[in-house]
Structure formats: structure tokens, C-alpha cells
Amino acid sequence: MVLGVGGGIAAYKVCELLRRLTESGHHVRVVPTEAALRFVGEPTWAALSGQPVETGVWETVHEVPHVRIGQSADLVFVAPATADLMAKAAAGIADDLLTNTLLTARCPVVFAPAMHTEMWEHPATQANVATLRSRGAIVLDPAVGRLTGVDTGRGRLPEPSELFEAARLALRRGVTEPDLVGRRVVVSAGGTREAIDPVRFLGNHSSGRQGYALARTAAARGADVTLVAANVSLPDPAGVRLVRVSSALELSEAMTVERVGADAVVMSAAVADFRPATSVVSKIKKSGDAPAPIELAENPDILAGLVRSRSEQGMAQTIVGFAAETDDVLANGRAKLARKGCDLLVVNQVGGGRAFGTDDNQATVLAADGAVVDIPTGPKEDLADRVWDLVVERLP
Ligand code: CTP
């Protein structure tokens, strides 16, 4: 693969990405811009990649590197992608080795932008990003956080471990066209916590891994992804907008806002059906008597509510639910699909160490149009990709 490095301070984080890529067996050719070398020098890239490093088209001309490097790549990953570099790529300018490589590559191309918020939000940058996306490139949204100086905002390069995941997913899909480009999807993940008092809650075992895999794989397929995460302690996926919530009522509110204008909504979060009826502001103390029972109130069924408001408001949106069942898995799944009214229900068997907190998952997907698709045990990303295949077939 080609690792294109733009002239941004975040180039220092890309050394760590390069290290991860080579350690996992990838053959990486680093192609920095001249400006990138002002941040991290040529010897660092050469030593970490074990490959020659050039920025211009006038070295080793007999090997025609300006054409060969792009043509022979399985993936071109550009990080940090600066505003200037994306403007050149969008305009087809080829004035150094990296911009030439971007014109000759026919493999998946991923840009991981990093810049100050103002530069990212500028209409010129946004227009260039839209152009690159319309041509099939994956442009990851930058993360929100601390920028170069003391300021914070959107524009931060995602962490190297998450850039590595994005590169791995892009390589995994190979030359397949990114089929969610131009689509907005909302995924809920994790498990809600219902406060008993300021220190205790009712919760569940959901780790959020399946929801995070859905968000990552959708981003790798070009979607604009919002991930609504309930109490998940996993790293923030690259290129995904994250909204954090805790209780079912907060999740419900976030989903109501975020689903507007989305092409697909996937409810993979484990939502508590009940919450303590009264919210206690002080910690409950032992009194020596038998503990008082906790009275419960019912939470809204968020998924059923999303389906209901879709038809009330005439929205075109594909809605997917998840069902974790311990017994009579398919019969319960069919009844749940009918009750919730969603387009797809991903049913998996839980208990006995299955699904929760593990890397693998298995499921049967039931569709409102009658289709039944078995997804064998495999990585949660494989299951996520199969779910997106089924969603793509049904998108409005
Ligand atoms: N769900 C929801 N709101 C709730 C409960 C569940 O949106 N209050 C969603 C989940 O995110 C999931 C689907 O509904 O996509 C099924 O969740 P599950 O807990 O299996 O459904 P329940 O209706 O709670 O059924 P059960 O009686 O089996 O608990």
C-alpha cells in the first residue's frame, strides 16, 4: 500500500500508523509531500517502512515511479490529508510524486483529513471533499478534540489505532465500489444505564462492539456515519461522528434528532425496558431494615417509535433492529419483527458466553419482505458488512 503523508503537524502520529501497518505484514511505500518532511524527516519514513522515500518525480526516473507506485498499489491511504492536498487532488493537479500517485491509482483511496476547524469547515474544503467522495474516494471526517495549539474542535486526526482499522477495512473490501457514498446512516450501540441513585444503575452486558463494527464498516463503505453510543468504552472509530448518551430516555432523544434525514437507522443498542420510577438525588443508605423494592417505570420502545414516526411523517428510511434471544430464537425473532415493524431484524442467540463482549457473532436476519439470511459465526465486522449488504438492497 501507499501511505501518502501531507504537510500537517499530525504527520508525527502517522509514524505510529506506519509501524502498525508494517508490523502486521503490509508492504508500505511512504510518499510524503515536501511540506510533510518539514514535520517528520525522510530517514524516519525510510527506516520505519524499509523502502526508499521520494517526494518528487525527478528521482529514479527510469523506474517511472510517478505511474508505477499508484498502479501497483492495493490501497492509497493519505494521512494527514491537508486542505491543500485535497484541493490539488480534487482539481487533478499533479505537481509532486503523491499527487501523481493519486491520479494513477485505481485501488481504493482513503483520505484522513486533519486541519484547523475553520479550514475544514471552509466551503472550498467542503466542496473538494464532496468532489473526492463523488469520485469514490473515502474521506474520513476528522475527529473532535485538541488541535495543534490550545484550541479544540473538529479537525483532529483520529488516533493511529483507528486509522489502522480504517486502512484494514478498506483493504479488506478491496476494489469494491464504496456503495454507501452519499448516504447518511445512524447506528446506536452499547447498553443503557438507568440510574437508581447517583452511584448505582440498572444496566446490561452490551459492550458496544457490534454497533462499533457497524459504524466502522459503514464509514469504510463511504457513508456519513453518526454513532450514538450508550456507555461504551471502546476507542472512537475514525471518520464517525460520535454522540454519547447514557439512559434510554437520552438515547431516545438523540435518535429522534439524529434520524432526521438519515437513509438508514440501525438500533443495535441494548435498551433497558424499565427504569427506576423515581430518580433519587442522594445515595441510598443501608438502614438495617429489609431493602425497599425499586419501583420501575417503562421506557419508550425507541425502535417501534422510529418506525411509527417514519410512517406518520412519510419518511423514506430503512430501519434495522437487533434482537438478543436466549430461547426459541427464531419464533421470538419473527414475533418481534412483526411487533416492531422494522425492515430488518438481526436476531442472535445470547447467553452461555455468546455475543456479549466477544469478537465473533452469528445471526439470522429476518426481513419484513420475507427474506431470511443466516450469517455464520465470524468477526462482528463480517456480520456488519452482511447487514449493510441487506440494507443497501433496501435503501429508499
Ligand atoms: N429497543 C428499543 N427500545 C426499547 C427496547 C428495545 O429501541 N425500549 C430496540 C433494541 O435496540 C433492539 C430491538 O428493540 O433493536 C429489540 O430489543 P429487545 O430488547 O430484544 O426487544 P424488547 O422489545 O425489549 O423485547 P423483550 O421482551 O425480548 O425484551
Side-chain angles (χ1 to χ4, degrees):
M1 62 175 278
V2 171
L3 181 58
V5 187
I9 181 67
Y12 81 90
K13 285 184 173 175
V14 178
C15 301
E16 172 70 23
L17 169 64
L18 172 58
R19 180 104 206 167
R20 283 174 186 256
L21 289 166
T22 53
E23 273 177 3
S24 58
H26 295 94
H27 179 100
V28 187
R29 175 82 188 237
V30 182
V31 184
T33 62
E34 271 300 314
L37 295 187
R38 297 183 69 128
F39 291 102
V40 178
E42 183 267 344
T44 303
W45 302 119
L48 289 176
S49 67
Q51 299 286 321
V53 174
E54 288 151 11
T55 59
V57 293
W58 303 111
E59 296 108 29
T60 58
V61 176
H62 63 286
E63 289 172 1
V64 206
H66 76 288
V67 176
R68 197 183 39 78
I69 293 175
Q71 277 178 343
S72 60
D74 294 308
L75 173 70
V76 177
F77 196 94
V78 183
T82 59
D84 176 68
L85 187 52
M86 289 192 294
K88 283 183 180 159
I93 292 172
D95 62 354
D96 65 2
L97 189 55
L98 179 53
T99 45
N100 272 273
T101 300
L102 286 167
L103 284 185
T104 51
R106 293 294 174 270
C107 57
V109 177
V110 181
F111 291 89
M115 64 196 72
H116 266 75
T117 312
E118 292 83 352
M119 296 174 82
W120 170 251
E121 288 175 349
H122 194 284
T125 305
Q126 287 301 306
N128 292 328
V129 167
T131 301
L132 294 170
R133 284 180 174 154
S134 72
R135 293 188 192 134
I138 303 293
V139 184
L140 302 171
D141 273 349
V144 176
R146 180 87 186 262
L147 301 174
T148 321
V150 290
D151 42 353
T152 58
R154 183 166 300 282
R156 196 180 146 85
L157 191 72
E159 294 313 306
S161 56
E162 289 305 307
L163 293 176
F164 174 78
E165 288 301 310
R168 195 176 57 76
L169 285 176
L171 274 169
R172 187 166 159 272
R173 277 189 67 74
V175 289
T176 315
E177 285 288 306
D179 51 4
L180 287 171
V181 166
R183 300 291 193 170
R184 202 171 94 70
V185 306
V186 181
V187 177
S188 72
T192 66
R193 289 181 181 177
E194 313 301 319
I196 297 172
D197 68 12
V199 294
R200 305 178 180 99
F201 58 84
L202 298 176
N204 60 68
H205 286 301
S206 179
S207 66
R209 278 177 214 266
Q210 185 62 65
Y212 272 49
L214 282 156
R216 271 201 195 93
T217 48
R221 293 166 78 146
D224 173 350
V225 185
T226 301
L227 175 60
V228 182
N231 311 298
V232 181
S233 56
L234 298 170
D236 299 352
V240 165
R241 202 169 71 84
L242 197 64
V243 177
R244 291 196 183 275
V245 296
S246 186
S247 66
L249 290 179
E250 285 171 16
L251 176 60
S252 175
E253 211 175 296
M255 293 308 291
T256 306
V257 172
E258 298 301 337
R259 68 89 59 98
V260 176
D263 297 288
V265 175
V266 181
M267 278 294 296
S268 73
V271 188
D273 291 322
F274 301 95
R275 64 180 183 278
T278 49
S279 69
V280 182
V281 288
S282 306
K283 187 180 170 198
I284 299 168
K285 307 294 279 182
K286 288 192 291 285
S287 64
D289 302 330
I294 299 171
E295 204 184 313
L296 298 176
E298 194 163 355
N299 276 327
D301 187 325
I302 303 170
L303 177 61
L306 291 170
V307 171
R308 213 177 317 112
S309 49
R310 172 180 67 175
S311 58
E312 281 164 9
Q313 295 166 32
M315 275 185 244
Q317 188 170 71
T318 304
I319 302 182
V320 183
F322 269 69
E325 303 288 345
T326 51
D327 319 286
D328 292 333
V329 178
L330 280 187
N332 279 330
R334 283 207 180 88
K336 199 166 278 182
L337 177 69
R339 200 164 65 239
K340 307 258 181 183
C342 49
D343 303 295
L344 295 167
L345 189 74
V346 184
V347 190
N348 45 44
Q349 188 160 16
V350 292
R354 277 183 295 258
F356 285 126
T358 62
D359 287 325
D360 282 359
N361 205 353
Q362 140 293 326
T364 301
V365 185
L366 306 176
D369 54 27
V372 179
V373 179
D374 277 317
I375 304 176
T377 302
K380 287 187 173 172
E381 279 162 8
D382 287 3
L383 190 142
D385 262 328
R386 286 297 290 128
V387 170
W388 289 123
D389 291 343
L390 298 169
V391 167
V392 166
E393 288 167 16
R394 289 165 177 81
L395 279 175

